[in-house]
Amino acid sequence: MPVSFSYDALPGRVVFGAGAARHALPDQMDHLGARNILLLATEHERPMAEELAAPLGERVAGIFTGVRPHVPVDVAAAAVAAAKDIRADCVLAIGGGSTTGTAKAIALDLPLPIVVVPTTYAGSEMTPVWGLTDGEKKTTGRNPAVLPRVVVYDPELTFSLPPSLTATSGVNALAHCVEALWFPHIGPIPRLTAEEGVLALGRALPAAVRDGADVAARSDALYGAHLAGMAFAATGSGLHHKICHVLGGAFDLPHAEVHTAVLPHVVAFNEPAAVDASARIAAALGARTAAEGIAGLIDRIGASTSLAALGMQATQVEHAVDLLMAKRYDENPRAVDETALRLILDGAYHGRRPGQG
């Protein structure tokens, strides 16, 4: 038994269950006293968002659909302006990580509570981490003001996720668990959370990819993503996330797909220096090693593992190495240098399995 530990148990309410998004929102808004709500969604998800928000009636005072990946600063400014225009007292974000990120950008500027209804496995709804992109630079930070006050998880909202996005969004969630497990100061509660997240995602994703309407698999995957966000919130961003943030911000590459391409190579690099974490990951995935478990799961769910296939150019690999060398990796279990970064990025660029030449 541990004799001492500490971690931040973050506040917030979670409502989880099939159909929850269709009946829970009015009560949650009543609890917050929200009467002037700004609804956030992508243009693609706007019809669904408006349907889910319909029971709120005239309390929905405006809608912002200018959501973009990686939350460009001009989009954040436009969202803040939209909230000010209607004198919003609450932000309701229905969608994936970019929609949640836009809500956080508003809360970073205005003291407004956020309610999130996730439609992917992003996990950012459980964290106080925000991110903004300006040009090719992505800036992230932690601020308790951006932590959503209420998160409503409804696995039925993920039924329409295509197999490819189910796979990559799920691996994005898995990356949160993996990086939490090798965090140097992880306590027993976040460790248990991260391990359970790996277990849930490992068993759920193949079934969810195979049958998008499998409510048990979708529930398990969303549960795993919830745990992944909690684990990440209690630990922080390490080598893997820093690489993905640089690649996404600098080259406008899709977030979840980048995680999927990079994760096996970061795991293979860190595994020799993160023995306990790697053993836990391997056991949760029923594999001999963590790298084999991650790569094997990605193979089973048919996710692409090539940065080149996402549109990254070969000449951009060296530029990415230069950008990453400006960052610090003090909390990574293994020392990171230029050679290591080039090895990881080269493997991810070509989509090789770790260990292949």
Side-chain angles (χ1 to χ4, degrees):
M1 294 290 291
V3 293
S4 66
F5 65 90
S6 65
Y7 77 103
D8 292 325
L10 299 172
R13 179 172 176 78
V14 172
V15 179
F16 193 111
R22 301 188 183 280
H23 62 73
L25 288 176
D27 285 347
Q28 300 309 314
M29 292 301 180
D30 287 345
H31 181 72
L32 292 174
R35 292 293 180 268
N36 231 32
I37 300 165
L38 178 65
L39 175 62
L40 300 188
T42 63
E43 194 61 45
H44 174 71
E45 292 190 299
R46 177 174 184 162
M48 177 195 65
E50 290 184 324
E51 178 189 349
L52 294 175
L56 298 172
E58 294 182 356
R59 284 193 281 178
V60 178
I63 182 167
F64 180 83
T65 60
V67 173
R68 297 292 181 273
H70 310 297
V71 196
V73 290
D74 59 334
V75 170
V80 169
K84 288 179 177 178
D85 284 346
I86 66 165
R87 298 185 178 180
D89 59 10
C90 182
V91 177
L92 171 58
I94 300 178
S98 297
T99 306
T100 301
T102 305
K104 289 181 174 183
I106 295 174
L108 198 61
D109 193 281
L110 304 173
L112 298 178
I114 302 171
V115 177
V116 177
V117 182
T119 59
T120 68
Y121 306 127
S124 56
E125 67 277 356
M126 293 306 302
T127 81
V129 178
W130 57 269
L132 295 170
T133 303
D134 187 0
E136 67 173 23
K137 181 180 180 181
K138 184 165 186 176
T139 302
T140 61
R142 294 174 71 93
N143 189 321
V146 308
L147 181 71
R149 294 277 294 277
V150 180
V151 182
V152 179
Y153 287 104
D154 186 344
E156 291 181 356
L157 300 186
T158 65
F159 285 1
S160 62
L161 276 180
S164 59
L165 186 53
T166 297
T168 55
S169 184
V171 176
N172 181 15
L174 185 65
H176 299 333
C177 298
V178 168
E179 195 135 72
L181 281 168
W182 64 48
F183 189 75
H185 310 300
I186 188 172
I189 309 304
R191 180 182 291 113
L192 288 170
T193 302
E195 279 190 82
E196 176 67 7
V198 176
L199 277 167
L201 290 162
R203 67 179 174 244
L205 289 178
V209 168
R210 187 167 54 249
D211 178 4
D214 183 334
V215 67
R218 288 293 189 181
S219 294
D220 226 10
L222 200 56
Y223 167 65
H226 163 61
L227 295 174
M230 290 178 63
F232 183 73
T235 52
S237 178
L239 171 63
H240 172 79
H241 282 81
K242 289 177 181 178
I243 291 174
C244 293
H245 287 162
V246 163
L247 294 177
F251 311 121
D252 195 27
L253 300 176
H255 184 74
E257 289 85 344
V258 168
H259 275 277
T260 305
V262 171
L263 183 62
H265 300 281
V266 175
V267 171
F269 173 74
N270 273 339
E271 191 156 18
V275 177
D276 179 71
S278 298
R280 292 173 187 273
I281 295 163
L285 295 175
R288 187 176 63 88
T289 69
E292 287 181 6
I294 298 291
L297 176 62
I298 291 173
D299 284 347
R300 289 197 301 278
I301 60 180
S304 173
T305 57
S306 166
L307 293 174
L310 301 179
M312 187 175 180
Q313 304 300 309
T315 55
Q316 292 174 326
V317 172
E318 285 304 314
H319 183 38
V321 170
D322 290 340
L323 292 172
L324 287 163
M325 283 299 294
K327 297 187 176 294
R328 298 179 63 89
Y329 306 98
D330 298 340
E331 294 178 329
N332 196 64
R334 186 175 176 185
V336 178
D337 57 18
E338 188 174 340
T339 300
L341 291 169
R342 190 173 288 110
L343 177 70
I344 291 168
L345 289 175
D346 185 69
Y349 177 79
H350 292 286
R352 292 190 291 262
R353 276 191 80 134
Q356 290 181 339

